[in-house]
Amino acid sequence: MDTHWLLVALLFSAASFVQAYSCTYSWNGVNYDASPLANSNSDYHFQIQTTDFWINMCRPLVTQVCGSSSACCQQWDPNSANGHASLGNAGTASFQPPSIPGENGQGFTVQFTGGDKPPGQSNPRTMEIDFICDSGAGVGAPSYAGEQPALHYNFQWRSAYACAAAPPPPPSCAGTSCGVCFANATGQCVWCLDSGSCSSMANFNSSCANWVTKPQFCPAPACSAQATCAGCVGLGGCSWCLDTASCLASPANPSVCPDIVSNVTYCPTGDDKDFKASKVLAGKRMKVV
């Protein structure tokens, strides 16, 4: 490869590498996740009089006016090589409790240090963004709130992502038998032998002394005690024999019972004891006269 193009390729590769930072934060028992605010295509841009601001979250700026590691760039003179300054380095992000609480007191503040120093001064610029919980704001956008104290720049950002992160939906842990409990949500549910109930893994090691944590450890169901097809099939691990109107452990031996129901949809209607014989053909039940 030509040396010129190799150099171009290396520079492009270096410019394409972006060091993101964690955007999750927990405070006072509430979890926040601001990562959806990161924009890899463009920065959040706004103008105050003749000064431009670019901000991004969870990553450095896409705009390279203030370098490749800036969290926020301020430009007051686009025609001057010294007409801009980085207000903070993206790698210094520090999440703090909210300075301006929003809905339900929720929100957080992110502080950045390591900005550019003004000529002749020893202190670098710093900045902070007050994220204010506003459930109806969607992503929202940052706004400038002033410079106080000197060289410390303040921004506000009303966003739904400044509200508590929604917890994952709980698993559907239900069932009247150990087998059905695990069939509903394997790996998320456990069976309590003491109470004969299905519970979320979150309750493991709580009030139950004897837990079943894997389906292979489920006790054999008492199929023979079931008197109805629905009760038999719903138990899990059991099948209903149409020929004898009795409940058998699955898998049932076809030589013992040729006509087996393993799905409650195909259970006979009415009194199972009086239903002497049925046949299942092409997925449909037919009563034999």
Side-chain angles (χ1 to χ4, degrees), residues 176-178 218-228 231-233 235-239 247-250:
T176 56
S177 72
C178 184
C218 283
C223 303
S224 59
Q226 301 302 312
T228 65
C232 172
V233 176
L235 187 62
C238 301
S239 299
C247 189
L248 306 175
S250 298

Side-chain angles (χ1 to χ4, degrees), residues 263-276:
N263 188 313
V264 70
T265 304
Y266 303 125
C267 279
T269 57
D271 189 341
D272 292 331
K273 291 291 186 181
D274 294 336
F275 199 96
K276 300 299 181 182

Side-chain angles (χ1 to χ4, degrees), residues 229 242 261 264-270 275 277-288:
C229 177
L242 290 170
V261 173
V264 70
T265 304
Y266 303 125
C267 279
T269 57
F275 199 96
S278 292
K279 296 293 182 182
V280 178
L281 296 175
K284 296 183 178 180
R285 179 173 46 80
M286 294 175 52
K287 182 174 180 178
V288 177

Side-chain angles (χ1 to χ4, degrees), residues 125-268:
R125 293 175 171 89
T126 60
M127 61 172 282
E128 68 179 54
I129 308 174
D130 291 313
F131 285 91
I132 305 167
C133 172
D134 185 341
S135 58
V139 170
S143 61
Y144 183 58
E147 181 183 349
Q148 182 64 37
L151 300 183
H152 184 75
Y153 298 83
N154 300 275
F155 300 87
Q156 294 180 5
W157 195 330
R158 306 187 73 88
S159 173
Y161 293 101
C163 303
S172 177
C173 295
T176 56
S177 72
C178 184
V180 173
C181 174
F182 287 104
N184 287 337
T186 303
Q188 302 181 69
C189 303
V190 287
W191 179 257
C192 178
L193 289 173
D194 302 329
S195 61
S197 60
C198 187
S199 181
S200 168
M201 181 65 81
N203 297 324
F204 184 52
N205 287 335
S206 56
S207 59
C208 181
N210 297 291
W211 289 105
V212 177
T213 58
K214 295 183 178 180
Q216 58 265 39
F217 299 139
C218 283
C223 303
S224 59
Q226 301 302 312
T228 65
C229 177
C232 172
V233 176
L235 187 62
C238 301
S239 299
W240 185 255
C241 177
L242 290 170
D243 301 284
T244 61
S246 61
C247 189
L248 306 175
S250 298
N253 189 336
S255 64
V256 176
C257 182
D259 300 307
I260 289 293
V261 173
S262 57
N263 188 313
V264 70
T265 304
Y266 303 125
C267 279

Side-chain angles (χ1 to χ4, degrees), residues 12-195:
F12 178 80
S13 176
S16 299
F17 177 75
V18 172
Q19 181 63 51
Y21 57 88
S22 173
C23 260
T24 57
Y25 174 61
S26 297
W27 176 74
N28 201 26
V30 178
N31 298 320
Y32 299 93
D33 183 5
S35 56
L37 300 178
N39 192 328
S40 60
N41 297 315
S42 62
D43 301 312
Y44 299 89
H45 173 252
F46 57 94
Q47 192 173 57
I48 303 296
Q49 296 180 347
T50 59
T51 301
D52 288 281
F53 292 90
W54 292 272
I55 291 181
N56 215 319
M57 268 300 290
C58 312
R59 53 155 294 143
L61 294 175
V62 176
T63 305
Q64 298 290 297
V65 173
C66 291
S68 60
S69 61
S70 179
C72 177
C73 179
Q74 177 191 39
Q75 184 182 58
W76 56 89
D77 186 357
N79 299 315
S80 171
N82 298 316
H84 59 265
S86 171
L87 304 187
N89 188 297
T92 66
S94 175
F95 284 71
Q96 306 291 333
S99 300
I100 307 176
E103 296 174 13
N104 301 315
Q106 295 179 3
F108 53 89
T109 297
V110 184
Q111 299 177 344
F112 298 87
T113 58
D116 292 335
K117 299 176 183 178
Q121 297 195 33
S122 59
N123 293 327
R125 293 175 171 89
T126 60
M127 61 172 282
E128 68 179 54
I129 308 174
D130 291 313
F131 285 91
I132 305 167
C133 172
D134 185 341
S135 58
V139 170
S143 61
Y144 183 58
E147 181 183 349
Q148 182 64 37
L151 300 183
H152 184 75
Y153 298 83
N154 300 275
F155 300 87
Q156 294 180 5
W157 195 330
R158 306 187 73 88
S159 173
Y161 293 101
C163 303
S172 177
C173 295
T176 56
S177 72
C178 184
V180 173
C181 174
F182 287 104
N184 287 337
T186 303
Q188 302 181 69
C189 303
V190 287
W191 179 257
C192 178
L193 289 173
D194 302 329
S195 61

